[in-house]
Amino acid sequence: MNSTRNPFTPAFGSEPLFFAGREHIIHEILQGLKNGPGDPNRSSVIIGPRGSGKTVLLSRIAEEAEQIGWISANVTAVKGMLESIIEQAAKNGSNYLPYKTKQKLTGLSAFGVGIDTALVQQPEQSWRMQMTEILEELNARDIGLLITVDEVDARFEDMIVLVSSYQHFVREKRNVALLMAGLPGKVLQMFTDDTISFIRRAFQHKLERVLQEDVKTTMEKTIEASGRTISGQALEKAARFTEGFPFLIQLVGYHIWRQSPDENEISMQNVKAGIRSSEEAMDQMILETTVKELSDTDLAFVMAMAQDDTVSRLSDVASRMQISSAKAGQYRLRLIKQGIIEPYGRGKLQFSLPLLRTYLRKQQ
């Protein structure tokens, strides 16, 4: 009898037992941290649709950075993120900061251990100057600071202040790095904001589909490391259904595991049942939200694409919508920037999100 808990983690932001296909991005950014100020990998943006593993990747890189002597401040782009960055930097770097810096923090934590992160406000000191003081103290001890920002959004003033200030940190050769992640459309908005044009020079890491062999290896290792097995044919079917989409790798793994949790081997029957459950969950957790955010014209465009069984020709989509090729080209570009569709050869398109065609057909 097998009583091991389910090792797959389809909850958003939960780190999987084994990573699939993102090792090169982790390696490049960590090499940038090791290389010193001026390395372009220290200013990086991870771009991908919902479920492509952006949040998990940020967390893994922050953990790896700590192993090479850095500290991190990890936030989501919301109002108040600047204060949170200072709080985390001061707390995580408290062993390296002198009393004159730490005394700006008041009181003890709720459990009487460590320092409270309630910053004493000093109106005469800007956020940039507060961060400069922290960076100077950390850098003097050869400690770097990695700032990670998830779900970037240029609409927040704090985002503008962060990027503008970071530009000066780079010019001053501070031992600091900025790693951001966001949806394609949100990243594009940030790049087109003239107040933070500096960020256009950041390295872009677009999260592509994971290769099928890597998917199979990851799923098999996760299953076997947790005390069970899966047949070759069952593994092949499960991996193929994920289409190399990180969220689906964890979601399918989770559902095939839970079909008969007390059996040592995950069977083909378990896989088929798990796939059905995964499709329903993918609809609710990813596709429904994505489609709701589309404008009426964008929705009409993808609905026209959904009539094709595989790739779509732009000319066919325009004909179905009864619009000109030029107009269809505008919609095409907008949807590509949003990460909904992607080019597939000259004049052809395909969906970026797995199962989106199936979902749209069900809506029809």
Side-chain angles (χ1 to χ4, degrees):
M1 299 290 285
N2 193 299
S3 59
T4 305
R5 69 176 183 83
N6 197 320
F8 290 94
T9 55
F12 287 109
S14 297
E15 189 167 324
L17 195 59
F18 295 101
F19 258 70
R22 305 303 190 208
E23 293 82 0
H24 65 291
I25 297 178
I26 298 172
H27 175 76
E28 287 182 13
I29 293 175
L30 290 177
Q31 285 300 115
L33 301 186
K34 295 176 182 178
N35 194 34
D39 190 290
N41 278 293
R42 290 186 170 210
S43 306
S44 292
V45 184
I46 296 171
I47 307 168
R50 288 185 180 87
S52 56
K54 300 183 298 296
T55 301
V56 170
L57 194 53
L58 288 181
S59 298
R60 170 57 68 88
I61 292 172
E63 290 176 5
E64 295 282 346
E66 292 176 4
Q67 300 300 314
I68 59 173
W70 283 58
I71 64 169
S72 65
N74 311 300
V75 298
T76 300
V78 295
K79 185 178 181 180
M81 60 180 280
L82 296 179
E83 289 80 359
S84 182
I85 290 172
I86 287 184
E87 291 167 0
Q88 289 190 49
K91 181 178 180 180
N92 296 338
S94 61
N95 291 337
Y96 314 104
L97 297 174
Y99 179 72
K100 68 176 183 177
T101 300
K102 290 193 289 185
Q103 68 183 350
K104 294 180 181 178
L105 304 172
T106 60
L108 296 176
S109 70
F111 300 100
V113 179
I115 53 176
D116 186 10
T117 56
L119 187 69
V120 176
Q121 297 298 318
Q122 297 188 4
E124 73 280 1
Q125 194 175 38
S126 68
W127 183 82
R128 175 185 165 190
M129 292 310 298
Q130 293 178 66
M131 285 300 300
T132 296
E133 182 176 333
I134 291 175
L135 288 171
E136 286 178 344
E137 297 294 350
L138 291 174
N139 293 175
R141 292 158 176 77
D142 200 27
I143 304 295
L145 173 65
L146 170 64
I147 301 171
T148 73
V149 184
D150 199 7
E151 302 296 345
V152 295
D153 194 330
R155 293 177 303 173
F156 291 107
E157 183 180 349
D158 284 5
M159 194 78 226
I160 307 299
V161 173
L162 168 62
V163 175
S164 300
S165 299
Y166 177 75
Q167 177 179 356
H168 292 286
F169 300 154
V170 172
R171 289 175 178 173
E172 295 159 3
K173 295 181 170 58
R174 307 286 183 192
N175 200 16
V176 62
L178 178 61
L179 176 59
M180 298 168 286
L183 299 170
K186 297 294 186 182
V187 173
L188 178 65
Q189 289 176 6
M190 184 172 65
F191 284 165
T192 55
D193 192 311
D194 290 336
T195 61
I196 50 173
S197 58
F198 163 81
I199 207 62
R200 295 171 194 163
R201 298 194 292 274
F203 268 19
Q204 298 180 41
H205 300 277
K206 297 181 180 179
L207 299 185
E208 307 290 350
R209 302 286 182 91
V210 179
L211 297 176
Q212 282 297 289
E213 284 305 311
D214 290 337
V215 174
K216 288 195 294 184
T217 299
T218 297
M219 296 186 79
E220 188 173 37
K221 286 171 63 176
T222 301
I223 291 167
E224 292 183 349
S226 303
R228 299 181 71 185
T229 61
I230 182 171
S231 70
Q233 287 186 329
L235 177 62
E236 181 73 31
K237 185 174 183 64
R240 189 167 58 250
F241 180 80
T242 71
E243 297 186 34
F245 196 61
F247 177 69
L248 267 179
I249 296 172
Q250 297 301 313
L251 187 65
V252 171
Y254 174 82
H255 281 291
I256 65 174
W257 179 282
R258 67 193 294 265
Q259 298 306 313
S260 302
D262 293 329
E263 298 294 330
N264 286 328
E265 182 176 82
I266 295 175
S267 66
M268 179 64 79
Q269 183 178 356
N270 295 153
V271 168
K272 290 178 179 178
I275 284 175
R276 288 193 294 271
S277 297
S278 299
E279 185 173 338
E280 294 174 5
M282 180 71 174
D283 287 353
Q284 297 169 3
M285 301 173 74
I286 300 287
L287 301 179
E288 182 178 324
T289 301
T290 299
V291 170
K292 281 183 177 179
E293 291 179 349
L294 296 177
S295 68
D296 289 344
T297 49
D298 289 343
L299 180 57
F301 189 100
V302 296
M303 281 292 192
M305 280 185 61
Q307 295 181 38
D308 296 309
D309 292 331
T310 53
V311 299
S312 299
R313 293 183 180 276
L314 183 61
S315 58
D316 291 340
V317 174
S319 176
R320 291 165 190 163
M321 294 180 69
Q322 298 183 344
I323 59 176
S324 67
S325 295
K327 197 68 176 178
Q330 294 177 15
Y331 299 152
R332 165 190 174 276
L333 182 60
R334 191 162 62 208
L335 286 162
I336 289 174
K337 289 176 179 177
Q338 293 178 64
I340 307 298
I341 64 175
E342 58 193 19
Y344 189 83
R346 186 175 179 84
K348 297 179 181 179
L349 302 164
Q350 67 177 4
F351 289 109
S352 299
L353 291 171
L355 305 182
L356 181 55
R357 175 183 288 103
T358 304
Y359 177 81
L360 291 170
R361 286 179 171 181
K362 286 187 289 189
Q363 303 313 303
Q364 285 179 323

